[in-house]
Amino acid sequence: MNIAAEADWPRAQLDADYRARDSCSVAEFEHTIAAYLTRSKAAHDLPYSRRDVVFDAATGLALDLFGTVPGELRPLVIFIHGGYWRALSKEHSAFLAPMLAAHGIACAAPDYRLAPAARMADIVGDTRRALAHLWHHADTLGIDRRRILVTGSSAGGHLAATLLQAGWQSELGLPEQPIAAALPVSGLFDLAPVAASHVQDWMQFSPAEIADFSPLRHLPHPIPRLTVAAAEREIPGFHRQSAAYAKALGVPYLLGAGRHHFDVVFDLADADHPLGQALLRLARG
C-alpha cells in the first residue's frame, strides 16, 4: 500500500479521509475530550506523582510522571497526546496512569509545542528531548531504562513512531534504539497525503518535513516489540495509514471494537481489554 501516492488524490476526498472529527458526533467528541481531563486528574492522587518536571530548559517544556515507587526501577509507558499537533496537553494525557501503576508500571505524559507556532521539526524535537530526559535520569526517577514503551493516539501515534526512527539518537546521547516497545494508536505514518488535505492549513508542511518525519519512510532498525492499533469506527485515512505501517513492519494490527478516533485510547487503560492487555504485555517485556 503506497500511502504517499494518496497525495495525488482529489483534495475533497483527502479532506474527508483525514477529518478526524467525522468519526463521531459533536456530543461524543465533547464528552470524550472532557473525559481526558477528568480521568487524568485521578492520576494526580497517585503516590509519588511528579508534576511539571522540566525536560528542556530552553523552552520550559515539562512532563508529568506517575506510578514510580522509591527503591524500584519500573517499566515506563510514555503517552504522547494527539490533537493534530495543534491542541491538547499533558493535562489530558494521564488517564493510563492509574491502571499502569496498579500493574507496577510508571507512566509519563510530556508536553510539546503546538502548531502553527511550532514547526514539525520543533514538535518532533520536543518529544525526543522528553524521551532523552527520561532515559538519562532513569535511575533517579525510578525508571527501568531497558523497558521504555512509547504510545500515543492520532498525532501522538505519529510522534511515537518518529521516536523509533534512526539517526537522531546519538545527538542526544542515547543508544541506537532506546525504546523497547511501542503501540501507536490511529497514527499518521506518511505525511504526504495529510499535507495535501485541510491539515496543511495549519501545519504548512515543507517537502523536507514530509520526507524527514514520515515514519513509513524511516522504518526502525532494529524493530522493537511493536503493535499498531486503531479505532473500529476510524475514518479511512487513519485506517489506511495504520494498516500500512503494521504491514510494513510485520506486526499485529488491533482494532478497538466500537470505538471512534478519540475514545479508542480508553481501551488502553482497561486491563481486561485486548488493547490494554497488549499494552501491559509490551511494557513488561
Side-chain angles (χ1 to χ4, degrees), residues 86-106:
R86 64 171 180 169
L88 304 181
S89 72
K90 65 183 178 66
E91 305 303 322
H92 300 81
S93 307
F95 49 83
L96 295 179
M99 184 277 282
L100 292 170
H103 288 82
I105 299 169

PDB file of all heavy atoms in Angstrom, residues 86-106:
ATOM      1  N   ARG A  86      -1.830  20.475  17.162  1.00  0.00           N
ATOM      2  CA  ARG A  86      -2.137  21.873  17.470  1.00  0.00           C
ATOM      3  C   ARG A  86      -3.019  22.051  18.714  1.00  0.00           C
ATOM      4  O   ARG A  86      -3.421  23.181  19.025  1.00  0.00           O
ATOM      5  CB  ARG A  86      -2.830  22.543  16.280  1.00  0.00           C
ATOM      6  CG  ARG A  86      -4.199  21.968  15.928  1.00  0.00           C
ATOM      7  CD  ARG A  86      -4.906  22.815  14.896  1.00  0.00           C
ATOM      8  NE  ARG A  86      -6.214  22.286  14.537  1.00  0.00           N
ATOM      9  CZ  ARG A  86      -7.118  22.948  13.824  1.00  0.00           C
ATOM     10  NH1 ARG A  86      -6.844  24.166  13.392  1.00  0.00           N
ATOM     11  NH2 ARG A  86      -8.284  22.392  13.523  1.00  0.00           N
ATOM     12  N   ALA A  87      -3.339  20.973  19.417  1.00  0.00           N
ATOM     13  CA  ALA A  87      -4.259  21.075  20.548  1.00  0.00           C
ATOM     14  C   ALA A  87      -3.904  20.036  21.617  1.00  0.00           C
ATOM     15  O   ALA A  87      -3.067  19.157  21.404  1.00  0.00           O
ATOM     16  CB  ALA A  87      -5.702  20.870  20.088  1.00  0.00           C
ATOM     17  N   LEU A  88      -4.546  20.178  22.772  1.00  0.00           N
ATOM     18  CA  LEU A  88      -4.413  19.305  23.942  1.00  0.00           C
ATOM     19  C   LEU A  88      -3.048  19.496  24.620  1.00  0.00           C
ATOM     20  O   LEU A  88      -2.222  20.300  24.185  1.00  0.00           O
ATOM     21  CB  LEU A  88      -4.671  17.847  23.577  1.00  0.00           C
ATOM     22  CG  LEU A  88      -6.019  17.558  22.912  1.00  0.00           C
ATOM     23  CD1 LEU A  88      -6.158  16.062  22.630  1.00  0.00           C
ATOM     24  CD2 LEU A  88      -7.181  18.059  23.748  1.00  0.00           C
ATOM     25  N   SER A  89      -2.849  18.768  25.707  1.00  0.00           N
ATOM     26  CA  SER A  89      -1.650  18.949  26.517  1.00  0.00           C
ATOM     27  C   SER A  89      -1.448  17.740  27.416  1.00  0.00           C
ATOM     28  O   SER A  89      -2.249  16.789  27.413  1.00  0.00           O
ATOM     29  CB  SER A  89      -1.778  20.206  27.387  1.00  0.00           C
ATOM     30  OG  SER A  89      -2.726  19.974  28.431  1.00  0.00           O
ATOM     31  N   LYS A  90      -0.405  17.800  28.227  1.00  0.00           N
ATOM     32  CA  LYS A  90      -0.160  16.716  29.181  1.00  0.00           C
ATOM     33  C   LYS A  90      -1.285  16.598  30.200  1.00  0.00           C
ATOM     34  O   LYS A  90      -1.470  15.531  30.798  1.00  0.00           O
ATOM     35  CB  LYS A  90       1.181  16.903  29.884  1.00  0.00           C
ATOM     36  CG  LYS A  90       1.313  18.112  30.786  1.00  0.00           C
ATOM     37  CD  LYS A  90       2.719  18.203  31.354  1.00  0.00           C
ATOM     38  CE  LYS A  90       2.932  19.433  32.222  1.00  0.00           C
ATOM     39  NZ  LYS A  90       2.146  19.429  33.467  1.00  0.00           N
ATOM     40  N   GLU A  91      -2.043  17.688  30.413  1.00  0.00           N
ATOM     41  CA  GLU A  91      -3.148  17.636  31.376  1.00  0.00           C
ATOM     42  C   GLU A  91      -4.254  16.692  30.910  1.00  0.00           C
ATOM     43  O   GLU A  91      -5.075  16.244  31.719  1.00  0.00           O
ATOM     44  CB  GLU A  91      -3.722  19.036  31.592  1.00  0.00           C
ATOM     45  CG  GLU A  91      -2.705  20.074  32.015  1.00  0.00           C
ATOM     46  CD  GLU A  91      -1.957  19.688  33.280  1.00  0.00           C
ATOM     47  OE1 GLU A  91      -2.587  19.108  34.188  1.00  0.00           O
ATOM     48  OE2 GLU A  91      -0.735  19.944  33.351  1.00  0.00           O
ATOM     49  N   HIS A  92      -4.289  16.385  29.598  1.00  0.00           N
ATOM     50  CA  HIS A  92      -5.278  15.467  29.039  1.00  0.00           C
ATOM     51  C   HIS A  92      -4.741  14.036  28.928  1.00  0.00           C
ATOM     52  O   HIS A  92      -5.425  13.168  28.375  1.00  0.00           O
ATOM     53  CB  HIS A  92      -5.682  15.909  27.625  1.00  0.00           C
ATOM     54  CG  HIS A  92      -6.278  17.273  27.535  1.00  0.00           C
ATOM     55  ND1 HIS A  92      -5.514  18.426  27.516  1.00  0.00           N
ATOM     56  CD2 HIS A  92      -7.574  17.679  27.453  1.00  0.00           C
ATOM     57  CE1 HIS A  92      -6.311  19.475  27.421  1.00  0.00           C
ATOM     58  NE2 HIS A  92      -7.556  19.055  27.383  1.00  0.00           N
ATOM     59  N   SER A  93      -3.539  13.776  29.442  1.00  0.00           N
ATOM     60  CA  SER A  93      -2.786  12.605  28.980  1.00  0.00           C
ATOM     61  C   SER A  93      -2.370  11.618  30.051  1.00  0.00           C
ATOM     62  O   SER A  93      -1.533  10.751  29.800  1.00  0.00           O
ATOM     63  CB  SER A  93      -1.521  13.090  28.247  1.00  0.00           C
ATOM     64  OG  SER A  93      -1.854  14.015  27.233  1.00  0.00           O
ATOM     65  N   ALA A  94      -2.958  11.699  31.252  1.00  0.00           N
ATOM     66  CA  ALA A  94      -2.524  10.818  32.339  1.00  0.00           C
ATOM     67  C   ALA A  94      -3.530   9.726  32.664  1.00  0.00           C
ATOM     68  O   ALA A  94      -3.389   9.024  33.664  1.00  0.00           O
ATOM     69  CB  ALA A  94      -2.247  11.647  33.593  1.00  0.00           C
ATOM     70  N   PHE A  95      -4.536   9.541  31.823  1.00  0.00           N
ATOM     71  CA  PHE A  95      -5.612   8.594  32.165  1.00  0.00           C
ATOM     72  C   PHE A  95      -5.165   7.142  32.169  1.00  0.00           C
ATOM     73  O   PHE A  95      -5.848   6.283  32.708  1.00  0.00           O
ATOM     74  CB  PHE A  95      -6.816   8.783  31.225  1.00  0.00           C
ATOM     75  CG  PHE A  95      -6.456   8.829  29.767  1.00  0.00           C
ATOM     76  CD1 PHE A  95      -6.273   7.681  29.042  1.00  0.00           C
ATOM     77  CD2 PHE A  95      -6.298  10.054  29.127  1.00  0.00           C
ATOM     78  CE1 PHE A  95      -5.935   7.720  27.699  1.00  0.00           C
ATOM     79  CE2 PHE A  95      -5.964  10.106  27.780  1.00  0.00           C
ATOM     80  CZ  PHE A  95      -5.784   8.946  27.060  1.00  0.00           C
ATOM     81  N   LEU A  96      -4.005   6.847  31.563  1.00  0.00           N
ATOM     82  CA  LEU A  96      -3.471   5.483  31.622  1.00  0.00           C
ATOM     83  C   LEU A  96      -2.810   5.182  32.960  1.00  0.00           C
ATOM     84  O   LEU A  96      -2.655   4.015  33.329  1.00  0.00           O
ATOM     85  CB  LEU A  96      -2.419   5.276  30.524  1.00  0.00           C
ATOM     86  CG  LEU A  96      -2.838   5.326  29.066  1.00  0.00           C
ATOM     87  CD1 LEU A  96      -1.621   5.115  28.186  1.00  0.00           C
ATOM     88  CD2 LEU A  96      -3.887   4.281  28.773  1.00  0.00           C
ATOM     89  N   ALA A  97      -2.397   6.230  33.670  1.00  0.00           N
ATOM     90  CA  ALA A  97      -1.507   6.048  34.821  1.00  0.00           C
ATOM     91  C   ALA A  97      -2.083   5.175  35.937  1.00  0.00           C
ATOM     92  O   ALA A  97      -1.360   4.322  36.474  1.00  0.00           O
ATOM     93  CB  ALA A  97      -1.081   7.412  35.356  1.00  0.00           C
ATOM     94  N   PRO A  98      -3.348   5.348  36.360  1.00  0.00           N
ATOM     95  CA  PRO A  98      -3.831   4.502  37.459  1.00  0.00           C
ATOM     96  C   PRO A  98      -3.786   3.008  37.147  1.00  0.00           C
ATOM     97  O   PRO A  98      -3.367   2.203  37.991  1.00  0.00           O
ATOM     98  CB  PRO A  98      -5.265   5.010  37.672  1.00  0.00           C
ATOM     99  CG  PRO A  98      -5.224   6.438  37.230  1.00  0.00           C
ATOM    100  CD  PRO A  98      -4.311   6.426  36.040  1.00  0.00           C
ATOM    101  N   MET A  99      -4.233   2.621  35.958  1.00  0.00           N
ATOM    102  CA  MET A  99      -4.192   1.210  35.597  1.00  0.00           C
ATOM    103  C   MET A  99      -2.751   0.711  35.540  1.00  0.00           C
ATOM    104  O   MET A  99      -2.430  -0.372  36.055  1.00  0.00           O
ATOM    105  CB  MET A  99      -4.882   0.985  34.248  1.00  0.00           C
ATOM    106  CG  MET A  99      -4.978  -0.492  33.832  1.00  0.00           C
ATOM    107  SD  MET A  99      -3.491  -1.179  33.034  1.00  0.00           S
ATOM    108  CE  MET A  99      -3.655  -0.519  31.384  1.00  0.00           C
ATOM    109  N   LEU A 100      -1.868   1.474  34.937  1.00  0.00           N
ATOM    110  CA  LEU A 100      -0.480   1.052  34.828  1.00  0.00           C
ATOM    111  C   LEU A 100       0.173   0.942  36.200  1.00  0.00           C
ATOM    112  O   LEU A 100       0.894  -0.026  36.483  1.00  0.00           O
ATOM    113  CB  LEU A 100       0.299   2.029  33.946  1.00  0.00           C
ATOM    114  CG  LEU A 100      -0.093   2.032  32.463  1.00  0.00           C
ATOM    115  CD1 LEU A 100       0.569   3.193  31.736  1.00  0.00           C
ATOM    116  CD2 LEU A 100       0.301   0.713  31.797  1.00  0.00           C
ATOM    117  N   ALA A 101      -0.078   1.917  37.071  1.00  0.00           N
ATOM    118  CA  ALA A 101       0.513   1.882  38.411  1.00  0.00           C
ATOM    119  C   ALA A 101       0.064   0.637  39.172  1.00  0.00           C
ATOM    120  O   ALA A 101       0.852   0.031  39.917  1.00  0.00           O
ATOM    121  CB  ALA A 101       0.137   3.148  39.173  1.00  0.00           C
ATOM    122  N   ALA A 102      -1.197   0.244  38.971  1.00  0.00           N
ATOM    123  CA  ALA A 102      -1.711  -0.951  39.643  1.00  0.00           C
ATOM    124  C   ALA A 102      -0.996  -2.212  39.188  1.00  0.00           C
ATOM    125  O   ALA A 102      -1.026  -3.236  39.887  1.00  0.00           O
ATOM    126  CB  ALA A 102      -3.212  -1.082  39.392  1.00  0.00           C
ATOM    127  N   HIS A 103      -0.342  -2.133  38.028  1.00  0.00           N
ATOM    128  CA  HIS A 103       0.393  -3.285  37.499  1.00  0.00           C
ATOM    129  C   HIS A 103       1.908  -3.069  37.565  1.00  0.00           C
ATOM    130  O   HIS A 103       2.667  -3.741  36.854  1.00  0.00           O
ATOM    131  CB  HIS A 103      -0.044  -3.560  36.059  1.00  0.00           C
ATOM    132  CG  HIS A 103      -1.427  -4.140  35.960  1.00  0.00           C
ATOM    133  ND1 HIS A 103      -2.556  -3.372  36.011  1.00  0.00           N
ATOM    134  CD2 HIS A 103      -1.850  -5.434  35.837  1.00  0.00           C
ATOM    135  CE1 HIS A 103      -3.625  -4.151  35.901  1.00  0.00           C
ATOM    136  NE2 HIS A 103      -3.232  -5.392  35.810  1.00  0.00           N
ATOM    137  N   GLY A 104       2.337  -2.118  38.386  1.00  0.00           N
ATOM    138  CA  GLY A 104       3.768  -1.926  38.594  1.00  0.00           C
ATOM    139  C   GLY A 104       4.486  -1.230  37.470  1.00  0.00           C
ATOM    140  O   GLY A 104       5.703  -1.417  37.292  1.00  0.00           O
ATOM    141  N   ILE A 105       3.777  -0.383  36.702  1.00  0.00           N
ATOM    142  CA  ILE A 105       4.353   0.286  35.542  1.00  0.00           C
ATOM    143  C   ILE A 105       4.158   1.797  35.694  1.00  0.00           C
ATOM    144  O   ILE A 105       3.065   2.264  36.042  1.00  0.00           O
ATOM    145  CB  ILE A 105       3.689  -0.198  34.242  1.00  0.00           C
ATOM    146  CG1 ILE A 105       3.909  -1.697  34.073  1.00  0.00           C
ATOM    147  CG2 ILE A 105       4.224   0.562  33.029  1.00  0.00           C
ATOM    148  CD1 ILE A 105       3.071  -2.335  32.971  1.00  0.00           C
ATOM    149  N   ALA A 106       5.202   2.559  35.446  1.00  0.00           N
ATOM    150  CA  ALA A 106       5.135   4.013  35.514  1.00  0.00           C
ATOM    151  C   ALA A 106       4.586   4.583  34.208  1.00  0.00           C
ATOM    152  O   ALA A 106       4.573   3.909  33.168  1.00  0.00           O
ATOM    153  CB  ALA A 106       6.514   4.589  35.805  1.00  0.00           C
TER     154      ALA A 106
END
